[in-house]
Amino acid sequence: METPVESTRERLLNIAEQRFGEGGYEGTSLRAITVAAAANIAAVNYHFGSKEALLRAAVARAMAPVNTERRRRLDQLEAKGEPSAEQLIRAFIEPGLDLVLRRGERGPVVARFIGRVAFDPSQRIRELYAAESDPVEARYLTALQVALPTAAPESVAFGYLNMLGLLALHQSQALTRPPGAEPGLDGQEDPGRLADNLIAFLVAAFDRGLRP
C-alpha cells in the first residue's frame, strides 16, 4: 500500500509530465503543477528540491525503461555480429514509440513529454535530457557508423540527428494526420504501424542520403 509521501511524489511527477509536455519547461509554472497535483511548493522542495530537479526526476523516470530496452536490444544484436542499419534503427525507434503502448492511458502523455523536452528551446533543458539519454544513444551512433562504412561519419551523425528529431516530433504529437488520411497514419491510433512506417522511411533516407 502506498504511503502518503509516495503518493504525493508520484502525483507531482505525473502532473509534471503532463504540464511540461503541454507547455514546455519555461511555459509551465511550478504553481500550476502543485495546484493540479493538490500539493504545495514545500512538497516539491521536500521531494525534489526545485522545479528543474522535478523535471530531471520526471525525465529519468520516463527514459529509464526506454534506455533499458534500447540497451538490451543493442547488446543482443551485437552479440550476434555486426547489425545492419535497419536492425539498429528498429531497435532504437520501437522502444521510443512503445511509450504509448506500455504506459496505458498515460502513454501519450509520457511520449509527448519526452518529445517536448528532447527539443526544448532552452539549451539547459536539452542538456538535462541528454544527460539521461546520451550514453545509450552514443552507442547507437557508433554502431550506425560501423554499419555504414562507406558514409562519412559526419553524414551518419547528420542522419542520426534527424532520426532523433523525427521520433521526437511523433512523440510530442507535433505531426498530425493529414486531412482525409486514413486513421492510424499519425500513430495515435496504431503506434505499431507508425513504427513500421517511420523505420521504413528512415532506412530509405539513410540508404539514399548517405551514399558516397
Side-chain angles (χ1 to χ4, degrees):
M1 186 174 189
E2 284 190 334
T3 67
V5 171
E6 290 171 336
S7 177
T8 300
R9 187 178 191 278
E10 290 302 305
R11 205 161 58 243
L12 285 167
L13 286 170
N14 291 341
I15 295 298
E17 285 176 345
Q18 177 186 347
R19 295 304 176 93
F20 287 142
E22 293 172 350
Y25 181 76
E26 296 296 340
T28 303
S29 70
L30 196 53
R31 176 172 174 75
I33 292 173
T34 56
V35 168
N40 52 42
I41 302 296
V44 174
N45 291 334
Y46 175 76
H47 291 291
F48 307 102
S50 66
K51 177 184 174 182
E52 183 177 306
L54 170 60
L55 176 66
R56 185 184 300 277
V59 170
R61 184 179 72 161
M63 286 301 298
V66 178
N67 288 336
T68 297
E69 179 62 10
R70 282 175 175 164
R71 189 177 297 109
R72 185 193 70 80
R73 291 192 182 200
L74 183 55
D75 288 343
Q76 189 176 61
L77 286 172
E78 291 182 334
K80 298 177 180 179
E82 293 186 358
S84 67
E86 181 174 358
Q87 289 174 318
L88 292 167
I89 291 169
R90 180 171 295 277
F92 187 89
I93 292 293
E94 286 183 339
L97 294 180
D98 277 354
L99 283 174
V100 179
L101 294 172
R102 296 182 178 182
R103 300 296 183 93
E105 294 181 358
R106 287 184 55 245
V109 173
V110 178
R112 183 169 58 246
F113 165 65
I114 289 299
R116 185 69 180 260
V117 172
F119 286 87
D120 192 277
S122 166
Q123 181 178 349
R124 171 62 183 158
I125 301 308
R126 294 196 303 273
E127 290 173 350
L128 184 153
Y129 169 80
E132 295 297 330
S133 59
D134 266 359
V136 67
E137 288 188 1
R139 285 186 60 194
Y140 271 90
L141 175 55
T142 299
L144 275 169
Q145 290 172 335
V146 172
L148 298 164
T150 61
E154 58 269 23
S155 296
V156 179
F158 176 80
Y160 183 70
L161 180 62
N162 280 273
M163 178 174 73
L164 295 179
L166 274 174
L167 177 59
L169 283 171
H170 282 288
Q171 287 175 323
S172 65
Q173 299 175 15
L175 296 179
T176 57
R177 185 167 63 245
E182 59 185 289
L185 182 59
D186 60 358
Q188 293 181 14
E189 297 173 46
D190 187 353
R193 182 178 176 187
L194 170 60
D196 288 338
N197 289 340
L198 183 55
I199 290 164
F201 178 83
L202 288 167
V203 168
F206 271 92
D207 179 57
R208 297 178 184 179
L210 301 181
R211 290 177 180 173

